[in-house]
Amino acid sequence: MKIAEPLVDKWLPILAQLNLQLKTLQEPIWQLVLVEPELVDSGRRFMLFRQKLDEKPLNKGHVKTGLNARKQLYPQDSWFHIQLDKESCILCSACAKVCDEGAITIEDNRFIIDEKRCTGCMNCQVVCFPKSIKVVEQIAKNSTPTHYHYYELENSPLPSLPPHYMLVKVNAAGVNRPDIFQRQGSYPPPADASPILGLEIAGEVVKLGEHCTKWAIGDRVCALVAGGGYAEYCLVHEDIALPSQGLSDIEAAALSENLFTVWANLFQLGQLKAGESVLIHGGTSGIGSMAIMLAHNLGCEIYTTVGSKEKAEVAQKLGANHVINYREKDFATEIPVLTQGKGVDVILDIIGGDYVEKNYQVAAKFGRVIQVGMMKGAPKNLNMMPLMLKRLIHTGSTMRSRTPEEKTHIAQELKQQVWPLIIKGQIKPIINAVFSLQEVAKAHQLMESGDLIGKVVLEIDMNKSLV
């Protein structure tokens, strides 16, 4: 499928489509006739004459020679001027029709064509692109990094397309805690990444870069990105995208960051195996809930910590065997009892702080402690003697700084090992709340409150108005 380019040479076929628009916009008894097509200038300006439907159509000779006579015969309001922005892709290169039904309005005898609403040709589905897009960008208007309104919607150039990358029209983007940390200034993006927030997206492939052969235009994908997700369009490496099979865009946008993180840390680094025991902190967070589902499907004995009765019930439904409400009980004393003093084989920790030393206490001999977050910050006065006595391994990682090659390896394993479970419906993200891109401040506020179960997702639809 071709990508639309600006057109100036197929005006006559376009008239039929414009007339369809006119019927829905204004007096249906009128039709439009192109006048002096050879007068189209470098500014892409041309004139259309409004003619009654029952009037005899002008032939080519009349069009050329009868312009002045027509201007004298009919009043000025019978004439329309159309001014197309040179940089806007308004007309479909495949069939020469106007792209979007809602993109044309009539105002003061002028057609107003809104390129921002161009979402694809109604006739052949070819997609065209605006010169600029809406993104969430940093502002500094009497604000500090901790303020929720530290970001607002701004115009940004459409990103250029490197080899092996594709342009995805973003329909939804996941909200993650690293987005909060970046907003607060404690988690800057890699030097080669977009400074725009957003680490996971779902949407439709609309353009392919050079040497990009694994996807086709129109494919629905979800993807992990190093930045740029809070935008209308986003660059995605072809090897890191995964199919959005059987999922809505909202659900698919909630998958990538958690799946990549859990798989790389719990299964690749932590080497969790069937029959082993695992402690997962924050069992109803995005990472925690995904870890419970994957470990359950593997056949592990699952222990988890949560902060409320409601969250405990959710964790049990996901597959946790033992749920500890940390507001009522200390996991450091509970797990030795539940495991009869053995401890757990693997620990996945997003909390940090005083949890680190407690993790050492409840880990089994030769246990593996995997650090994927530090919500409580670094531990203080850490006693490392249990780590040495038990010969524990304490490791961890971040995902954003990994190379495309490393992420590709994770994506391949996910497609082989996890995607069959997703297709069967055995793995499905929990969606706590959906906000529009314009409501990003509210999404961050909810994320920081901790009062949520599952994921927060942004819906990217600039044509929707806020109520």
Side-chain angles (χ1 to χ4, degrees):
M1 188 178 292
K2 294 188 295 184
I3 300 300
E5 299 290 345
L7 275 184
V8 293
D9 58 351
K10 295 184 179 179
W11 303 116
L12 291 176
I14 294 166
L15 287 181
Q17 189 73 359
L18 287 175
N19 280 318
L20 288 176
Q21 308 293 349
L22 187 61
K23 286 180 181 180
T24 62
L25 293 171
Q26 203 166 315
E27 309 156 75
I29 64 170
W30 297 99
Q31 65 180 343
L32 300 173
V33 179
L34 180 66
V35 176
E36 301 289 352
E38 69 274 13
L39 297 181
V40 176
D41 61 25
S42 59
R44 297 178 63 187
R45 183 192 302 268
F46 61 97
M47 297 183 68
L48 293 174
F49 174 68
R50 189 174 67 173
Q51 169 180 290
K52 286 187 177 180
L53 289 175
D54 58 359
E55 187 176 16
K56 184 177 179 180
L58 296 172
N59 59 36
K60 186 175 180 181
H62 283 135
V63 171
K64 284 189 174 182
T65 60
L67 177 58
N68 291 331
R70 286 283 172 178
K71 283 184 176 180
Q72 294 174 4
L73 182 61
Y74 290 96
Q76 184 65 30
D77 63 4
S78 294
W79 296 89
F80 291 91
H81 290 77
I82 291 184
Q83 178 70 53
L84 299 182
D85 182 353
K86 291 181 183 179
E87 305 297 339
S88 301
C89 182
I90 302 302
L91 308 174
C92 175
S93 62
C95 66
K97 292 186 178 181
V98 175
C99 287
D100 190 287
E101 182 175 355
I104 301 178
T105 57
I106 297 177
E107 182 178 318
D108 297 329
N109 290 335
R110 298 179 69 85
F111 277 91
I112 308 300
I113 301 184
D114 180 7
E115 69 273 12
K116 295 296 188 299
R117 295 188 59 186
C118 187
T119 57
C121 176
M122 292 182 292
N123 183 59
C124 68
Q125 308 305 310
V126 169
V127 178
C128 60
F129 312 109
K131 184 181 180 183
S132 65
I133 60 175
K134 288 293 184 184
V135 303
V136 174
E137 286 193 342
Q138 179 176 325
I139 60 173
K141 298 175 182 177
N142 300 319
S143 181
T144 66
T146 56
H147 286 181
Y148 299 119
H149 294 278
Y150 192 54
Y151 285 85
E152 67 179 18
L153 289 182
E154 299 285 353
N155 288 320
S156 179
L158 194 70
S160 57
L161 200 55
H164 297 290
Y165 278 79
M166 51 194 184
L167 189 67
V168 173
K169 185 180 186 297
V170 182
N171 295 326
V175 177
N176 294 280
R177 197 153 295 271
D179 301 342
I180 308 297
F181 296 149
Q182 180 176 332
R183 193 198 77 223
Q184 294 172 340
S186 61
Y187 191 56
D192 59 346
S194 169
I196 299 167
L197 292 178
L199 300 177
E200 60 183 344
I201 59 135
E204 181 182 347
V205 178
V206 294
K207 194 171 185 179
L208 301 174
E210 190 178 2
H211 309 306
C212 191
T213 60
K214 297 178 181 177
W215 300 92
I217 291 173
D219 285 346
R220 291 181 60 246
V221 299
C222 58
L224 184 76
V225 295
Y230 290 13
E232 292 180 275
Y233 292 86
C234 184
L235 296 180
V236 173
H237 195 286
E238 64 170 339
D239 292 329
I240 302 173
L242 291 161
S244 301
Q245 290 174 286
L247 298 169
S248 67
D249 286 320
I250 298 295
E251 292 169 330
L255 275 179
S256 297
E257 174 68 13
N258 292 335
L259 269 179
F260 275 73
T261 298
V262 171
W263 190 262
N265 287 280
L266 192 56
F267 296 96
Q268 291 183 340
L269 278 180
Q271 292 292 303
L272 181 65
K273 301 177 182 64
E276 287 191 314
S277 59
V278 57
L279 168 60
I280 299 166
H281 289 302
T284 56
S285 66
I287 286 178
S289 59
M290 186 60 67
I292 289 175
M293 286 187 280
L294 290 174
H296 175 71
N297 274 279
L298 186 60
C300 298
E301 187 77 4
I302 303 169
Y303 302 78
T304 189
T305 58
V306 297
S308 71
K309 182 179 179 180
E310 180 187 7
K311 291 181 178 181
E313 292 174 353
V314 171
Q316 287 178 326
K317 289 179 181 178
L318 291 173
N321 305 99
H322 311 277
V323 182
I324 301 166
N325 185 339
Y326 63 81
R327 299 186 191 277
E328 299 175 352
K329 297 179 181 180
D330 187 348
F331 76 90
T333 58
E334 288 295 308
I335 287 182
V337 175
L338 293 171
T339 62
Q340 299 179 341
K342 179 188 174 184
V344 292
D345 298 307
V346 181
I347 300 172
L348 185 68
D349 184 17
I350 63 173
I351 307 297
D354 61 343
Y355 272 43
V356 175
E357 189 167 326
K358 292 181 179 182
N359 290 336
Y360 294 169
Q361 294 172 18
V362 303
K365 190 176 180 180
F366 302 110
R368 291 91 75 194
V369 181
I370 315 298
Q371 206 72 46
V372 293
M374 300 291 286
M375 290 175 61
K376 282 191 170 186
K380 298 177 181 179
N381 302 317
L382 177 63
N383 178 13
M384 300 189 68
M385 187 58 69
L387 179 142
M388 294 184 287
L389 292 174
K390 295 181 180 181
R391 284 161 277 180
L392 305 178
I393 295 174
H394 188 173
T395 185
S397 71
T398 61
M399 184 57 59
R400 193 177 194 180
S401 60
R402 293 183 184 228
T403 65
E405 291 74 20
E406 290 176 292
K407 294 175 183 176
T408 296
H409 177 60
I410 299 169
Q412 290 171 345
E413 290 194 3
L414 286 173
K415 191 171 184 179
Q416 295 168 1
Q417 304 294 330
V418 179
W419 241 248
L421 301 176
I422 292 175
I423 293 172
K424 293 177 184 177
Q426 294 175 274
I427 300 292
K428 198 168 188 177
I430 301 173
I431 307 300
N432 181 274
V434 178
F435 296 92
S436 70
L437 186 62
Q438 297 94 318
E439 297 174 303
V440 62
K442 293 180 181 179
H444 278 210
Q445 189 171 9
L446 176 60
M447 175 67 76
E448 289 187 64
S449 74
D451 187 23
L452 70 161
I453 295 173
K455 294 282 292 190
V456 177
V457 177
L458 297 173
E459 186 176 21
I460 318 294
D461 186 350
M462 301 314 300
N463 292 327
K464 279 191 176 182
S465 59
L466 296 177
V467 179

